[in-house]
C-alpha cells in the first residue's frame, strides 16, 4: 500500500466533521483528496524514510511563511520545487489538531486553486 490507511481514516474524519464533500482518487502512489474537483491534499509514504507524509496544496501567497513551520519542506517531484505545494512529515501530523490545521490550510486555498483541464477521451 502506498499510503497509511490509519492516516487516511483520520483525514476522512476531519473532513466529515467539517462537512466537506470530497472524493478520493488513487493516483501516482498517493491517495488524493479532491474538493470541488480539485486536488486539495494527498497522503503517501515517503520511500526514503518509510513514514507517512502529506502533499499539501497551499498556494503561492503563504508558501514562504508556511515553509518556516516545523515538519514541512518544499515539494519536488522532478528535482524542481513546486511553489504551491509542500510536504508535511509524519511528525507534523502526529496529533489530530496538527493534522486538522494542515487540512484547513489546504481547504482555505482550495477555492483559489484552478481545476485541471479534462482530457478528451477518444
Amino acid at each position: 500500500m502506498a499510503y497509511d490507511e490509519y492516516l487516511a481514516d483520520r483525514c476522512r474524519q476531519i473532513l466529515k466533521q467539517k462537512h466537506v464533500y470530497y472524493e478520493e482518487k488513487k493516483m501516482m502512489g498517493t491517495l488524493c483528496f479532491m474538493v470541488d474537483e480539485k486536488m486539495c491534499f494527498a497522503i503517501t509514504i515517503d520511500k526514503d524514510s518509510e513514514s507517512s507524509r502529506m502533499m499539501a496544496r497551499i498556494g503561492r501567497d503563504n508558501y514562504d511563511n508556511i515553509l518556516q513551520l516545523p515538519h514541512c519542506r518544499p515539494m519536488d517531484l522532478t528535482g524542481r520545487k513546486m511553489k504551491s505545494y509542500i510536504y508535511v512529515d509524519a511528525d507534523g501530523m502526529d496529533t489530530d489538531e496538527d493534522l486538522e490545521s494542515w487540512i484547513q490550510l489546504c481547504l482555505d486555498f482550495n477555492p483559489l486553486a484552478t481545476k485541471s483541464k479534462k482530457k478528451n477521451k477518444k
Side-chain angles (χ1 to χ4, degrees):
M1 187 176 302
Y3 62 90
D4 178 346
E5 190 60 46
Y6 177 67
L7 177 58
D9 286 341
R10 290 175 61 211
C11 292
R12 291 177 188 117
Q13 186 63 31
I14 289 168
L15 290 169
K16 182 179 177 182
Q17 289 171 350
K18 291 180 170 293
H19 305 287
V20 174
Y21 175 78
Y22 67 95
E23 294 179 71
E24 295 179 16
K25 288 190 180 181
K26 292 179 184 177
M27 54 196 315
M28 301 181 298
T30 69
L31 179 62
C32 184
F33 289 82
M34 310 283 291
V35 176
D36 294 330
E37 299 180 13
K38 299 175 272 191
M39 182 199 147
C40 190
F41 63 93
I43 58 172
T44 187
I45 300 290
D46 184 342
K47 292 176 185 168
D48 295 331
S49 67
E50 296 185 11
S51 62
S52 297
R53 70 178 173 188
M54 174 188 281
M55 295 169 41
R57 188 176 189 186
I58 56 157
R60 291 177 181 253
D61 290 345
N62 293 322
Y63 181 81
D64 292 326
N65 291 333
I66 291 171
L67 278 178
Q68 304 303 313
L69 298 173
H71 310 295
C72 69
R73 59 191 167 91
M75 180 179 154
D76 66 17
L77 290 177
T78 60
R80 63 170 236 235
K81 294 176 184 163
M82 299 180 71
K83 281 288 215 173
S84 293
Y85 298 83
I86 59 168
Y87 282 132
V88 180
D89 298 324
D91 289 342
M93 304 177 289
D94 195 33
T95 68
D96 288 339
E97 292 79 16
D98 290 339
L99 179 59
E100 189 274 333
S101 68
W102 290 113
I103 290 174
Q104 188 60 53
L105 277 173
C106 297
L107 290 170
D108 290 345
F109 174 69
N110 189 262
L112 305 173
T114 56
K115 291 182 186 180
S116 295
K117 294 180 181 171
K118 294 191 180 205
K119 296 179 181 177
N120 292 334
K121 294 182 181 179
K122 293 180 181 181

